[in-house]
Amino acid sequence: MLFDTHAHYDDERFDGDRDALLASMPENGVGLILNPGCDLDTSRKAAAYAAAYPHVYAAAGYHPENLEGGVDLDAIEALARENPKVRAIGEIGLDYYWEKDPAKRKYQQEVFHAQMRLAKRLGLPVIIHDREAHLDTLTVVEQHPGVMGVFHCYSGSAEMAKRLLGLGYYLSFTGVITYKNARKAREVIEIAPLDRIMVETDAPYLSPEPFRGKRNSSLYVYRVAEQIAEIRNLPAEEVVRITAENGRRFFGIQG
């Protein structure tokens, strides 16, 4: 059974069929889903989905693009402590793609550090978002050696991957690896230990080929596993098994 380690079912694009879709996942070969939060509201929604479905788990945190209204890390901490199915702090990190203001980038870094400290205090791993901010993201994580994490939708170089793997981090991949221009990600998959790789959709975004342009969902996570299997010259079933085991170990999920 597949483990989609990163999907945003709080997104409004699922408003019409969210419950039916989530309920259908086990019968469609998706045994586990992790829904991360991007702010307090979506973190609470993620915890609610986890409470409603045995195969759904949650993470709580502030995405770097969701900081304009301020952050309430006390509420995130309370949510994580009160809900046993909240298994990580995330998604957190840095995003410089849109943000060009140096002061706001610095604020992203401050909140990132604070959430790393929160994760350490709670004994939880982190889910890291890194877009166009590779060096600064790496600098932050290296300052928190007691925290275990995964770089979701990994987009860095093979050299950066080696440094992260040396720190004990995991790397997660989306449907982007099925795109023709995904050469860099494929190079990373070629050198990364299989026991440090996870698969995800980032639904409703980043639909894999041949579904590109459509709303993404966990129903398509198998394409990510198939692409990794092709790159590593392995049976797809083995990649499904290994990545699911990696996800369960990382998020502390039994069974």
Side-chain angles (χ1 to χ4, degrees), residues 3-6 150-157 161 165 170-178 182 184-194 196-202 206 216 220-221 223-225 227-228 231-232 243:
F3 187 171
D4 182 357
T5 59
H6 197 110
V150 58
F151 271 62
H152 111 88
C153 191
Y154 184 73
S155 61
S157 66
L165 292 165
Y170 287 64
L171 309 176
S172 185
F173 298 92
T174 66
V176 167
I177 67 172
T178 68
K184 188 165 63 171
R186 293 193 184 102
E187 290 175 354
V188 174
I189 291 168
E190 287 174 356
I191 62 99
L194 283 175
R196 296 286 192 83
I197 290 176
M198 292 192 278
V199 296
E200 59 167 291
T201 56
D202 201 19
L206 306 179
N216 202 5
Y220 301 151
V221 72
R223 285 291 297 121
V224 184
Q227 189 66 47
I228 292 172
I231 293 167
R232 297 296 293 260
T243 56

Side-chain angles (χ1 to χ4, degrees), residues 4-70:
D4 182 357
T5 59
H6 197 110
H8 297 278
Y9 283 100
D10 50 89
D11 191 275
E12 63 184 9
R13 277 169 277 189
F14 293 113
D15 285 354
D17 62 350
R18 180 181 295 107
D19 290 336
L21 191 59
L22 285 172
S24 74
M25 287 301 168
E27 66 192 54
N28 284 290
V30 181
L32 291 167
I33 297 168
L34 193 292
N35 194 123
C38 290
D39 55 21
L40 184 55
D41 180 58
T42 54
S43 295
R44 285 172 171 161
K45 288 178 178 178
Y49 305 150
Y53 299 96
H55 55 285
V56 177
Y57 289 80
Y62 281 89
H63 188 287
E65 290 185 347
N66 293 69
L67 308 181
E68 285 297 326

